[in-house]
């Protein structure tokens, strides 16, 4: 699991699947879950978190369309490059090309 700086967590599966969730805070192993601490599945996801997850999803799709390998860093750089666009604009082919090229340049620097 990778906790990204954008405020979400991702799991990059060996089978090609990608799981995106709100930021998962790892608790100390000595602490036990109680009835007072609901699990992540029971908490509502905020609008901001949903937008972050949607942006991440579109960035991952953009990287896949450009045949760029998925790493936590390539996803984070693409996310950073995508911030000047609305989430729905990230599916535009010209935007896909721009944000993935920008992310690749950021990785090489």
């Amino acid at each position: 699991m990778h906790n990204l700086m954008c405020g979400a967590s991702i799991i990059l599966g060996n089978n090609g699947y990608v799981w995106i969730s709100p930021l998962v805070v790892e608790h100390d192993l000595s602490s036990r879950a109680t009835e007072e601490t609901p699990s992540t599945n029971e908490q509502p996801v905020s609008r901001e978190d949903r937008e972050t997850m949607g942006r991440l999803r579109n960035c991952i799709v953009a990287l896949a369309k450009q045949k760029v390998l998925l790493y936590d860093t390539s996803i984070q750089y693409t996310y950073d490059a995508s911030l000047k666009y609305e989430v729905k604009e990230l599916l535009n082919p010209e935007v896909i090309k721009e944000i993935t090229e920008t992310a690749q340049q950021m990785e090489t620097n």
Side-chain angles (χ1 to χ4, degrees):
M1 177 179 318
H2 303 280
N3 288 331
L4 301 178
M5 293 186 309
C6 63
S9 298
I10 59 169
I11 298 173
L12 302 173
N14 291 334
N15 58 1
Y17 287 108
V18 178
W19 289 267
I20 303 170
S21 68
L23 190 63
V24 175
V25 179
E26 296 182 23
H27 295 286
D28 187 11
L29 293 177
S30 63
S31 66
R32 300 272 185 216
T34 64
E35 292 179 19
E36 297 174 6
T37 55
S39 71
T40 318
N41 294 336
E42 296 173 359
Q43 298 175 356
V45 178
S46 70
R47 181 174 178 83
E48 182 181 317
D49 285 344
R50 287 194 309 266
E51 185 173 323
T52 298
M53 293 188 303
R55 182 176 297 277
L56 271 176
R57 182 260 181 208
N58 288 352
C59 289
I60 291 166
V61 168
L63 289 166
K65 284 186 177 184
Q66 294 297 108
K67 299 184 182 356
V68 177
L69 294 176
L70 297 179
Y71 295 106
D72 59 334
T73 52
S74 63
I75 294 169
Q76 182 65 55
Y77 288 145
T78 306
Y79 181 92
D80 294 342
S82 76
L83 291 175
K84 63 182 179 180
Y85 298 102
E86 290 186 33
V87 175
K88 65 182 179 182
E89 292 176 314
L90 299 177
L91 300 176
N92 183 326
E94 293 85 28
V95 175
I96 287 173
K97 186 173 181 180
E98 181 186 333
I99 64 173
T100 54
E101 286 176 357
T102 303
Q104 287 176 324
Q105 289 172 358
M106 292 167 76
E107 278 187 283
T108 57
N109 291 338

